[in-house]
Amino acid sequence: SGVYWYHPHTRDDYGQEMGLYGNYLVSPSESYATPANREVPLVIDDILIENDRIAEFYKDFTNFALLGRFGNEFLVNGEQNFTMTAKTGEVIRFLITNVSNARTYNLSIPGAQMKLVGADVGQFEREEFINDFLISPAERMVVAAYFEKPGAYQVMHTMPSGEVELARILVTGDEVTSSYADDFATLNTNQTVVDEFSEFRSYLSAEPDKRLLLSVDIMGDMVDHSLHAHGSEED
């Protein structure tokens, strides 16, 4: 069980940038330890726009290292300014996928209580209360959020240069029918996950069997640097 996604592996620099990706979600046979009123997938992306168009790609070769580039516009579920509604007291399980091909996000929902319950391949051994969390390119996170009071909440990304709002959650004054507030207040241990990992636990503190030294020759002057830019020492 877990949050998975598909995307191209051939020239994915432009295929993925043009929206060729999507989620497929595998639910656990036993439900998540923290119950939720509903699940909401959030697919987060950034896209580079120049002159009101998606910035061009080179046809014959990739013009960005490792097929990734930073965007200047943000998308959630394919939309700018993504907005959703919730009820007072609702617990929402967010299934979050970072489909940006270069950007790591530092996400938060100020004013809401959050709990990290799982990631790429299912639930964690132990849940954890969090104020924010990092999610790298291609990574997935499963986060439960509790909206105790009505109001406008923002899904924020914090960068060294400042903050940007990715999405907005409007919590109405209508109270949710079934409240999971008490369940949310408890940090659960997922014994099934603990048991599955037990036979590997001794390796966490074990000494390595062998150490390898990797040397890389970048070919010096044989590399043609005319097709890409270099930063100056002042950058």
Side-chain angles (χ1 to χ4, degrees):
S1 62
V3 184
Y4 301 91
W5 69 298
Y6 61 85
H7 63 96
H9 278 237
T10 302
R11 283 307 301 265
D12 47 312
D13 53 337
Y14 68 79
Q16 190 170 313
E17 186 86 337
M18 297 296 289
L20 186 55
Y21 56 76
N23 271 137
Y24 55 102
L25 311 173
V26 181
S27 299
S29 55
E30 297 181 6
S31 61
Y32 284 87
T34 292
N37 296 101
R38 56 181 166 138
E39 289 185 339
V40 176
L42 294 180
V43 181
I44 301 176
D45 195 8
D46 63 346
I47 188 168
L48 184 60
I49 303 295
E50 295 178 349
N51 300 319
D52 297 325
R53 299 180 59 185
I54 297 175
E56 292 186 1
F57 296 91
Y58 290 6
K59 181 178 180 181
D60 297 327
F61 56 88
T62 61
N63 55 327
F64 290 90
L66 301 179
L67 302 179
R69 67 183 186 185
F70 287 97
N72 53 12
E73 299 286 350
F74 296 93
L75 304 174
V76 173
N77 293 351
E79 299 180 16
Q80 287 182 303
N81 305 314
F82 176 81
T83 301
M84 57 173 287
T85 59
K87 293 182 178 181
T88 299
E90 190 169 3
V91 174
I92 300 177
R93 185 181 303 119
F94 289 108
L95 311 173
I96 304 169
T97 305
N98 179 4
V99 303
S100 295
N101 51 24
R103 187 183 299 276
T104 294
Y105 292 93
N106 182 14
L107 300 180
S108 62
I109 308 178
Q113 300 177 48
M114 293 196 303
K115 182 195 290 189
L116 189 61
V117 301
D120 299 32
V121 290
Q123 300 183 65
F124 286 154
E125 287 187 320
R126 295 171 183 84
E127 299 175 337
E128 177 186 358
F129 290 124
I130 55 173
N131 295 318
D132 52 40
F133 62 96
L134 296 175
I135 180 168
S136 302
E139 195 173 12
R140 287 86 71 197
M141 290 291 182
V142 182
V143 177
Y146 171 49
F147 299 94
E148 182 179 9
K149 300 177 181 179
Y153 295 79
Q154 298 167 304
V155 179
M156 302 296 296
H157 165 46
T158 301
M159 304 176 290
S161 59
E163 292 184 319
V164 60
E165 178 185 316
L166 300 180
R168 182 164 294 198
I169 303 165
L170 303 178
V171 179
T172 67
D174 299 329
E175 292 191 4
V176 68
T177 303
S178 300
S179 174
Y180 294 116
D182 292 341
D183 300 274
F184 187 89
T186 302
L187 289 176
N188 298 289
T189 295
N190 298 298
Q191 193 58 45
T192 301
V193 181
V194 174
D195 294 342
E196 287 176 346
F197 192 68
S198 60
E199 62 181 292
F200 305 103
R201 202 170 303 281
S202 62
Y203 293 102
L204 293 177
S205 57
E207 290 294 321
D209 296 326
K210 184 180 295 186
R211 297 181 183 273
L212 301 177
L213 176 64
L214 177 64
S215 299
V216 178
D217 183 357
I218 61 173
M219 299 186 296
D221 294 336
M222 294 178 62
V223 177
D224 182 2
H225 296 280
S226 65
L227 299 177
H228 57 266
H230 287 265
S232 66
E233 293 182 357
E234 290 77 18
D235 289 343

